[in-house]
Amino acid sequence: MDGGAAGSQSGPMETFESLVRAEFTPKNTYLNTASSALLPARTVAALDAAVRLRAEGRPLDPLFADVEACRAAYARLAGVPVERVAAGATVALYSSLVAASLPPGADVLTAEDDFTSVLNPFHARGDLKVRSAPLEGLADAVRPGTALVAVSAAQSADGRIADLPALREAARSHGARTYVDFSQAAGWLPVEAGAYDYGVAIAFKWLLGVHGAAFLTVPEDFGDLVPVQAGWTAGEDPWGSCYGPVAELAHSARRFDTTPALFSYAGLRASLTLLEEIGVDAVRAHDLALADRFRAGLAALGHEPVPAPGSPIVSVPGLGRMQPELSRAGVEVSNRAGNLRASFHLYNTAADVDRLLDALSG
């Protein structure tokens, strides 16, 4: 496999290439991970086993164990203790939880045209002062009285990467909390979730999972969050919290859990195992090499993508209209606001890049 290789970090001494070849069998040129990832073979097998468990009426204990294994794996990926990780389903759910924690009139700073799931819950409150600034100037837009800064680590539309360290320092100097969506970063970009008050990520993109799994990271003292969504799984003793009000909330971030989509976590456990075997650094090197190859090819064709150095997401203004034609030709990309968006992950090759470039040059 072209575009980068590295040895496995654990288990048998398999190469990056052999691991990926064993797990992925795309039938087309798939360059659309920023929408959703291909599923590894081990993940498909785990999903099948989970469905059969339900179909055959066997105990579901293994599926609940999968949730805890995923929580632990994400904690390692995010660099935080497992006690600071909640397991849920969507970014919008956790954005709503953060929005609910703010007092009326709070000043909330967001990035212009960020992903809706990050933004809309703050607007939906109706009593917050939500304002936006260009991504590149977000840190400069933090001001005295700012209560929260909410931003995606990597922009969904075009792959631009937020200057999170600068944002963190600006927020800290003004007493503001930070909420970072790592959905387009976790899996290829090293995540330091503990450096921010709240962090969130869904699992069906760079983490190679299916829809229905998401993680929230919180401070050790839970910040200002109130578990308004708490159900039985948020109890310190979940099975003892099935009836009536929850008598004792979990002492960990599990108090912010929602009832898990068990099949999703069964599959995700296998996907996260694969990512840990390969290593995020190896994935990042591979993905960025392919993105840089695509950018160089675009320049040769006279196209200029949105500047997003160090990102595996490449967005080309004016070419989004070609998405249906490319799909018919077996090349999957996205049309985002008129831009053609290609995104590269561990199962892609240099040949995939060249196939897209050939299609664009025709």
Side-chain angles (χ1 to χ4, degrees):
M1 178 168 293
D2 298 315
S8 164
Q9 290 190 343
S10 63
M13 293 300 295
E14 298 178 273
T15 63
F16 182 105
E17 180 181 359
S18 62
L19 266 175
V20 172
R21 184 183 294 123
E23 294 290 347
F24 298 99
T25 54
K27 303 301 182 185
N28 57 6
T29 301
Y30 190 82
L31 302 171
N32 203 19
T33 299
S35 291
S36 58
L38 297 181
L39 296 179
R42 68 178 71 185
T43 302
V44 175
L47 288 166
D48 180 68
V51 171
R52 291 183 182 279
L53 202 68
R54 280 282 303 277
E56 296 168 2
R58 289 183 280 149
L60 302 184
D61 295 23
L63 303 187
F64 285 98
D66 289 335
V67 177
E68 297 312 312
C70 289
R71 190 194 312 273
Y74 185 77
R76 292 190 294 272
L77 186 76
V80 296
V82 69
E83 293 80 11
R84 292 176 58 181
V85 178
T90 68
V91 168
L93 167 73
Y94 284 133
S95 296
S96 299
L97 190 66
V98 175
S101 74
L102 298 170
D107 180 71
V108 179
L109 175 62
T110 66
E112 289 180 351
D113 298 321
D114 208 334
F115 196 74
T116 300
S117 295
V118 182
L119 304 180
N120 199 58
F122 299 100
H123 289 272
R125 270 278 303 261
D127 61 353
L128 301 176
K129 297 177 181 177
V130 185
R131 57 192 177 92
S132 63
L135 182 69
E136 293 77 8
L138 200 60
D140 293 334
V142 181
R143 63 193 185 194
T146 299
L148 180 81
V149 184
V151 67
S152 296
Q155 292 292 297
S156 169
D158 50 35
R160 288 176 299 147
I161 300 172
D163 186 349
L164 292 180
L167 185 61
R168 181 183 64 230
E169 291 308 311
R172 183 177 296 166
S173 67
H174 290 92
R177 290 197 181 275
T178 47
Y179 174 53
V180 180
D181 179 7
F182 292 103
S183 295
Q184 295 287 11
W188 69 267
L189 184 69
V191 172
E192 298 179 357
Y196 309 94
D197 293 285
Y198 314 118
V200 69
I202 47 79
F204 61 86
K205 300 181 186 292
W206 310 92
L207 296 180
L208 306 173
V210 298
H211 289 69
F215 300 101
L216 174 74
T217 55
V218 302
E220 189 174 348
D221 64 358
F222 309 136
D224 298 319
L225 298 186
V226 177
V228 293
Q229 86 307 328
W232 68 280
T233 55
E236 178 64 15
D237 174 15
W239 293 108
S241 303
C242 294
Y243 306 104
V246 176
E248 183 180 11
L249 288 167
H251 302 164
S252 68
R254 194 166 52 75
R255 62 174 54 196
F256 305 112
D257 276 18
T258 55
T259 304
L262 294 177
F263 293 164
S264 297
Y265 282 93
L268 180 59
R269 180 177 186 174
S271 296
L272 294 177
T273 298
L274 175 62
L275 280 175
E276 288 195 287
E277 288 176 9
I278 295 175
V280 170
D281 289 343
V283 173
R284 182 185 187 191
H286 175 87
D287 293 3
L288 296 189
L290 295 180
D292 287 345
R293 184 185 185 96
F294 183 50
R295 291 186 179 97
L298 286 170
L301 294 176
H303 298 298
E304 185 175 350
V306 175
S311 176
I313 302 172
V314 183
S315 185
V316 192
L319 296 186
R321 56 184 168 73
M322 298 186 66
Q323 183 271 327
E325 176 185 344
L326 290 168
S327 183
R328 288 191 293 271
V331 179
E332 293 299 327
V333 293
S334 288
N335 178 3
R336 291 293 182 268
N339 298 344
L340 183 146
R341 187 189 69 184
S343 44
F344 304 92
H345 205 13
L346 75 169
Y347 35 69
N348 294 129
T349 68
D352 292 336
V353 178
D354 295 344
R355 194 168 297 118
L356 175 54
L357 289 169
D358 287 344
L360 295 177
S361 65

